[in-house]
Amino acid sequence: MKAFTRATSIAVPIDGINVNTDQIIPARFLKASRAAGYGGFLFHDLRFDGEGAPRPDFVLNMPAFRDGRILVVDANYGCGSSREGAVYAHQDYGIVAILAPSFGDIFYNNCLKNGLVPVVLDGGVLAETRRHLHLKGGEITVDLEALEATLPDGARHRFEIEPFWRECILKGLDEISLTSTYEPQIRAFEDAYHAQVPWVRKPEVDLGREGHEDRKVP
């Protein structure tokens, strides 16, 4: 996945609690090729009318927010199904971070696994931020290295992300790839551990002359 350290962007306010994954990307698009990108499906039935024309009153279609890459949303964002396509749709549209009071559990974890930064901040602060954005617009900076979000009023707010996932996203590695980077340390630990308790190491297998398994005594 793509590494993320810090981003500053026009912020897009999306109102309403319990925005679910079917609103984010309707199920009928989930069989589409990922290679072609899911960005056109993000909030498809809210962004477009039955003829496929953009709805001018939907926030992502408004000129002030069309280039926004950071969302400011309400509680329990991404609830509903476990579809990973909901995260792909954000990323392929260009969204790099989402600020919310809370997320649907599976959506939150899918964000972490794919490098879309989920930022949890106080609900009152984010409600005021959405009001500000609707009236005046503005930019938000999300700094994953400093674990800090700077809102349009200049206020800085610390947020938390589990250190393992923070490191994965900063380095642009999934959990397996990140673990593999620690292979020398893992081998050193195993060697030191087995030196103390050699009887737990799996013995080598020798089939012997008769084809029977004979285990060498370590």
Side-chain angles (χ1 to χ4, degrees), residues 28 43-63 66:
R28 65 184 183 277
F43 290 112
H44 183 277
D45 293 351
L46 298 172
R47 281 170 65 195
F48 304 104
D49 63 21
E51 304 300 319
R55 298 180 189 275
D57 58 343
F58 186 68
V59 65
L60 286 176
N61 294 329
M62 296 177 181
R66 199 169 291 157

Side-chain angles (χ1 to χ4, degrees), residues 37-201:
Y38 278 24
F41 307 138
L42 179 65
F43 290 112
H44 183 277
D45 293 351
L46 298 172
R47 281 170 65 195
F48 304 104
D49 63 21
E51 304 300 319
R55 298 180 189 275
D57 58 343
F58 186 68
V59 65
L60 286 176
N61 294 329
M62 296 177 181
F65 300 114
R66 199 169 291 157
D67 295 327
R69 295 296 175 258
I70 294 174
L71 302 185
V72 182
V73 303
D74 208 338
N76 200 28
Y77 186 80
C79 61
S81 78
S82 61
R83 66 191 68 173
E84 205 163 8
V87 172
Y88 301 159
H90 285 89
Q91 290 184 301
D92 292 349
Y93 181 87
I95 303 300
V96 296
I98 305 173
L99 282 61
S102 61
F103 292 90
D105 287 343
I106 298 174
F107 179 81
Y108 180 84
N109 284 294
N110 284 339
C111 286
L112 296 174
K113 289 174 184 289
N114 289 280
L116 176 60
V117 181
V119 176
V120 176
L121 291 182
D122 178 80
V125 170
L126 293 182
E128 184 55 38
T129 300
R130 288 194 302 275
R131 280 193 289 273
H132 176 101
L133 292 171
H134 281 301
L135 291 172
K136 302 178 180 179
E139 291 186 338
I140 286 177
T141 296
V142 173
D143 188 333
L144 182 61
E145 198 156 38
L147 291 173
E148 187 176 83
T150 304
L151 302 184
D153 61 1
R156 296 178 177 179
H157 295 265
R158 183 170 175 81
F159 63 90
E160 300 294 336
I161 284 184
E162 188 177 332
F164 175 81
W165 290 113
R166 174 175 173 266
E167 188 175 358
C168 282
I169 297 172
L170 285 171
K171 294 181 176 178
L173 298 173
D174 63 26
E175 58 265 55
I176 295 175
S177 299
L178 181 65
T179 302
S180 295
T181 67
Y182 291 103
E183 187 173 346
Q185 294 93 322
I186 293 170
R187 288 188 181 280
F189 170 82
E190 288 187 336
D191 289 345
Y193 177 71
H194 288 136
Q196 295 177 14
V197 287
W199 57 89
V200 301
R201 184 187 289 274

